[in-house]
Amino acid sequence: MSSFLVNKVGRMNLYDEKHQLILKTATQVFLRKGYLATNMEEIATEASVSKQTVYKHFTSKEALFIEIITNLTSRKTEESYNTLPVIDAVTDVRKFLVDYALAELSTLLTPEVIQLRRLVIGEAERFPNLAAIYFKNGPQVAFEKLSELFAHFCKRNLLQIADIKKAAEDFNWMVLSAYLNKAMFLGESSLPKLKEMRKHAEHSVSIFLKFYGKVEK
């Protein structure tokens, strides 16, 4: 590889590292202070870079804010599904749904996600498109993923569901709504421990399967 290419790759790597550093730092500042109270100079100071460097990577505070919300929402959604088994190998639908519910609870009931939800809701009028992006990359993905799973399990005769979309909404909000509402109003101190989340997941799945589970003849 020529020295020109080596230097070019090195500059690209450095650019990417700076980009991620600014993004990570800005995320912390925005979540801590909100949109209006955050300024680019403060982000630059905390990231130990110049304000010019921040603007080189992000043309405006708005552009930086939009990328943060979009990336963080997509990352948290992906984390919900990374630990789940391949659905073709599932034979115990109860265990799978408990694990699924626990993965959602563990990923979404964190200080970072609660701060993110508060931030997006607080800025929904200023950034209506961003609120729509959050819903599309977060709750909407969850509904679609659950619909796909339920359709698959129905085909394998593990569940019996007439309205799959409605069942997905029922499951998602039965698992999440009480804890999310509590955390949104009461903050981090109200977040449940793992043992409590597992108990809630098992309870929610039991109720769900009483209505949608396969009836043995």
Side-chain angles (χ1 to χ4, degrees), residues 77-88:
T77 301
E78 289 173 5
E79 287 176 6
S80 295
Y81 309 118
N82 285 343
T83 59
L84 296 174
V86 178
I87 59 173
D88 289 333

Side-chain angles (χ1 to χ4, degrees), residues 2-141:
S2 68
S3 59
F4 172 78
L5 289 177
V6 170
N7 290 335
K8 184 177 180 180
V9 171
R11 288 195 299 272
M12 289 175 61
N13 290 338
L14 182 60
Y15 181 90
D16 290 341
E17 288 175 7
K18 282 282 179 66
H19 190 89
Q20 293 304 316
L21 172 63
I22 295 167
L23 202 59
K24 180 179 179 180
T25 303
T27 298
Q28 295 170 350
V29 178
F30 276 120
L31 291 179
R32 185 173 71 243
K33 301 189 66 174
Y35 181 80
L36 286 179
T38 297
N39 61 69
M40 299 292 259
E41 186 171 354
E42 180 179 9
I43 291 169
T45 299
E46 292 205 18
S48 299
V49 299
S50 68
K51 190 160 71 170
Q52 288 75 15
T53 298
V54 175
Y55 277 109
K56 181 180 178 181
H57 288 262
F58 303 95
T59 57
S60 66
K61 184 171 83 165
E62 180 178 341
L64 174 55
F65 183 65
I66 289 171
E67 182 166 343
I68 285 171
I69 301 302
T70 303
N71 287 352
L72 190 54
T73 304
S74 297
R75 176 166 59 84
K76 286 297 179 181
T77 301
E78 289 173 5
E79 287 176 6
S80 295
Y81 309 118
N82 285 343
T83 59
L84 296 174
V86 178
I87 59 173
D88 289 333
V90 173
T91 56
D92 186 344
V93 71
R94 179 183 293 273
K95 182 180 185 306
F96 178 89
L97 290 177
V98 169
D99 289 343
Y100 184 102
L102 190 58
E104 273 206 309
L105 289 165
S106 300
T107 301
L108 299 181
L109 295 178
T110 64
E112 185 180 40
V113 173
I114 297 305
Q115 289 171 346
L116 173 64
R117 289 176 65 90
R118 284 176 165 179
L119 183 57
V120 172
I121 291 171
E123 298 296 338
E125 287 193 13
R126 190 189 313 275
F127 299 103
N129 291 338
L130 188 58
I133 289 172
Y134 176 88
F135 184 82
K136 180 181 178 182
N137 291 348
Q140 188 62 45
V141 170

Side-chain angles (χ1 to χ4, degrees), residues 3 17 43 54 69 138 142-143 146 155 166 189 194 199 215:
S3 59
E17 288 175 7
I43 291 169
V54 175
I69 301 302
F143 294 143
L146 279 169
K155 286 180 181 179
K166 182 65 173 66
S189 62
L194 181 60
K199 183 178 179 181
V215 177

